[in-house]
Amino acid sequence: MARMMTRRTAAATLASVVLTPEVRADGNVDVQLVLAVDTSGSVNRERFELQRLGYVAAFRTAEVLKTIKRGQTGAVAITMTQWTGPAQQAQVIPWSRISNEQEFAAFAKAIEDAPRRLFGGGTSISGAIDHARTLFPACPYPSIRRTIDVSGDGATNRGRPSYAARDDAVADGITINGLPIIALERDLDDHYREQVIGGPGAFMVVTETFENFGEAIRRKLIQELAWWRAGPEIVRV
């Protein structure tokens, strides 16, 4: 409970920040978001397609676009990576600024067209987080919020512990949210809660099946793209 109160207090404090004219300038965004997608060996072709279609559907949902437009700048910057082992990650969609229907639709199409780049190599959430951290300096759209969105169906079994990477990211001012798919590891949500999510307003959406992934990512995007909107720490779909 104390941990949850700390997160909510931090989120409330951040919500009170008054943006300067520089932050409101054209090109700035409300959040820089890295979508880190699990493509490890446990994610077969069918499961990968369910993830892909879930992301595509989410970025074709009016409610998600409305959430983006309600922000302080009315824009967000998003990139997508795939990850498996400690040193196996691939940025499959470059940083993209989304502020209107055309850019929103273009990002959905980019997800739809992005090939699977990685197959197997173990499961390293820590590697995914470490890789995601390196992407923020290359984002051309300034923001005072940086978030990593990690989804996956397994706990770290290669590389350094998840919490070590999480702690380094949080120390850099980055928030990590999670979307554990507990179809194969029923206690995966415990791993995400204890070792993966962290930072101001951090939360996770838990889904029991890949079939529910689309609804889970839709709800997750709405919560994390909202301007400092505090939500529940754990949502189950």
Side-chain angles (χ1 to χ4, degrees), residues 107-179:
F107 195 79
K109 187 64 167 59
I111 297 173
E112 191 172 46
D113 293 342
R116 180 171 184 166
R117 296 270 301 277
L118 302 172
F119 301 83
T123 300
S124 181
I125 297 173
S126 55
I129 294 171
D130 289 337
H131 169 70
R133 286 174 62 203
T134 70
L135 301 179
F136 289 110
C139 181
Y141 312 108
S143 177
I144 59 174
R145 290 172 61 200
R146 294 175 295 163
T147 299
I148 301 171
D149 177 341
V150 180
S151 62
D153 70 349
T156 292
N157 58 29
R158 297 286 191 279
R160 65 177 182 150
S162 299
Y163 67 81
R166 184 268 316 275
D167 291 349
D168 285 346
V170 171
D172 283 347
I174 298 168
T175 293
I176 303 173
N177 299 324
L179 200 168

Side-chain angles (χ1 to χ4, degrees), residues 3 15 23 27 29 39 41 58 65 67 70-71 76 96 98 107 144 150 152-153 167-168 177 185 195 231 234:
R3 183 181 178 188
V23 174
V29 295
T39 53
L65 180 57
T67 301
R70 291 189 188 115
V76 298
S96 305
I98 301 174
F107 195 79
I144 59 174
V150 180
D153 70 349
D167 291 349
D168 285 346
N177 299 324
E185 297 182 25
Q195 298 200 37
I234 301 174

Side-chain angles (χ1 to χ4, degrees), residues 176-200:
I176 303 173
N177 299 324
L179 200 168
I181 307 163
I182 62 173
L184 303 179
E185 297 182 25
R186 302 302 294 179
D187 60 349
L188 182 61
D189 53 333
D190 293 334
H191 181 76
Y192 269 69
R193 182 178 62 251
E194 295 166 5
Q195 298 200 37
V196 178
I197 66 173

Side-chain angles (χ1 to χ4, degrees), residues 16-30:
S16 67
V17 173
V18 178
L19 296 181
T20 65
E22 180 181 359
V23 174
R24 293 194 189 99
D26 289 345
N28 289 287
V29 295
D30 291 323

Side-chain angles (χ1 to χ4, degrees), residues 5 10 15 22 33 38 44 54 69 89 100-101 114 117 124 142 159 165 214 218 230 235:
M5 290 179 65
E22 180 181 359
L33 175 63
D38 185 359
N44 60 23
K69 288 184 172 183
Q89 303 90 26
N100 56 47
E101 289 81 358
R117 296 270 301 277
S124 181
R218 183 192 68 81
V235 177

